[in-house]
């Protein structure tokens, strides 16, 4: 939606370190990022940095009213809009580094899938480590973590550092094919089996 793009851009200009992109992700990227969300059972899905809700929409579609969907958004303005649009998601205004505490507060022990829209390459090393540690702590042993990166930034030092940390945190890390329909083009990291 056009006004989502405008809102997202304003939030980026106001706080590029936490918004991390100038435009919302595409539906094509959302489909690839949410691939591990099970289409059966009662899974616990945690979404980090949902922004304007492109991934939220796809997670809700895949869940079809089942399970638990916790969407953790640090920006109160974006969180309010998400709450309005996605009553099936439990939207929480919080920092993702507090993930274990946030799950416990909602009576949830572990997450089956963590989907991230966070701007990893914009984060310093210490924050990347804290976030990956929190994600590893809450995932079930067979849990999945997905996030995306922009193709053009793949060779930048923060992106290289994040990829290295991802490989240290998970036994399996598989990059997807490039999603050319996203602006800018992106790819998805599918990570499984957290090393505790």
């Amino acid at each position: 939606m056009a006004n989502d793009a405008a809102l997202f851009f304003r939030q980026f200009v106001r706080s590029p370190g936490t918004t991390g992109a100038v435009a919302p992700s595409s539906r094509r990227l959302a489909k690839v990022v949410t691939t591990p969300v099970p289409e059966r059972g009662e899974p616990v899905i945690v979404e980090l940095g949902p922004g304007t809700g492109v991934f939220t929409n796809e997670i809700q579609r895949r869940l079809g009213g089942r399970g638990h969907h916790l969407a953790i958004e640090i920006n109160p303005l974006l969180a309010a809009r998400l709450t309005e649009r996605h009553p099936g998601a439990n939207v929480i205004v919080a920092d993702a580094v507090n993930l274990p505490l946030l799950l416990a507060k909602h009576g949830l022990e572990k997450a089956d899938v963590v989907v991230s829209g966070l701007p990893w390459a914009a984060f310093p090393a210490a924050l990347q480590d804290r976030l990956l540690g929190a994600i590893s702590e809450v995932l079930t042993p067979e849990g999945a973590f997905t996030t995306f990166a922009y193709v053009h930034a793949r060779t930048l030092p923060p992106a290289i550092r994040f990829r290295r940390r991802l490989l240290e945190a998970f036994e399996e890390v598989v990059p997807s094919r490039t999603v050319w329909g996203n602006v800018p083009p992106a790819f998805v990291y599918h990570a499984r089996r957290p090393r505790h």
Side-chain angles (χ1 to χ4, degrees), residues 46 48 96-100 103 109-116 120 127-146 162 164-173 191-196:
V46 174
L48 307 178
V97 295
N98 299 315
L99 197 49
L103 253 71
E109 281 182 45
K110 293 283 181 183
D112 298 293
V113 179
V114 175
V115 171
S116 171
W120 292 95
L127 182 55
Q128 286 182 352
D129 286 346
R130 285 180 67 204
L131 285 164
L132 282 172
I135 291 163
S136 294
E137 192 178 326
V138 303
L139 273 176
T140 62
E142 59 286 335
F145 167 59
T146 60
F162 174 67
R164 192 170 53 243
R165 285 189 162 52
L166 202 53
L167 289 163
E168 290 165 2
F170 291 88
E171 287 181 25
E172 178 186 300
V173 179
R192 289 190 177 274
R193 296 188 302 282
R195 303 180 202 267
H196 294 291

Side-chain angles (χ1 to χ4, degrees), residues 42-46 63 66-70 88 106 108:
E42 296 292 324
V44 174
I45 311 301
V46 174
L63 287 175
R66 300 170 298 107
H68 298 276
H69 177 188
L70 246 59
H106 289 83
L108 302 168

